[in-house]
Amino acid sequence: MKLIKRVAITVLLGWSALSNAALAPSAVHLRDLDTMLEFIHKHHYVAMSLESIDLVSLTIYYNNNCEAKFVRSKPSLLSLGQPGPQPGIEFERSTCPLTETNKTSQ
């Protein structure tokens, strides 16, 4: 009977330790925001025409309805199914050019 109690306590403590291994949502949002801000710093045209940053859809809006979309990286095969922080985000695509196009006035 004592052995069963020890095993049960060990299992419960092990599960609680694993569930605390993931980052809090606020930490994930801050990490995602840092990635998006770094992107804005690298692309001056996006910075000049910045409208908003949406952390829910992982999108930067700039220059009248242009969007820079980000996606969360796929977890590696080794970490798949294990607790832990979510993978970071990376730039996927943009609906408009990321640099200012030179328009000649007529």
Side-chain angles (χ1 to χ4, degrees):
M1 190 66 167
K2 286 184 179 182
L3 180 62
I4 293 173
K5 285 183 183 178
R6 286 183 189 165
V7 169
I9 290 172
T10 303
V11 168
L12 289 175
L13 290 175
W15 278 338
S16 67
L18 290 177
S19 66
N20 290 329
L23 288 176
S26 61
V28 173
H29 282 309
L30 288 173
R31 189 181 62 191
D32 294 346
L33 182 60
D34 286 341
T35 301
M36 295 170 100
L37 288 174
E38 183 179 321
F39 177 86
I40 292 168
H41 283 287
K42 288 181 181 177
H43 299 89
H44 298 290
Y45 180 65
V46 175
M48 289 182 347
S49 58
L50 181 65
E51 294 172 3
S52 65
I53 299 172
D54 186 350
L55 285 172
V56 175
S57 67
L58 299 175
T59 305
I60 297 172
Y61 297 96
Y62 66 100
N63 192 31
N64 297 324
N65 299 323
C66 292
E67 301 174 1
K69 297 273 193 182
F70 290 77
V71 293
R72 192 156 310 282
S73 305
K74 302 278 187 217
S76 72
L77 227 47
L78 297 175
S79 65
L80 196 62
Q82 295 182 7
Q86 294 184 30
I89 61 172
E90 55 190 33
F91 175 70
E92 179 186 35
R93 64 182 173 83
S94 176
T95 59
C96 300
L98 296 173
T99 58
E100 188 171 17
T101 56
N102 293 331
K103 297 179 182 177
T104 56
S105 39
Q106 297 180 5

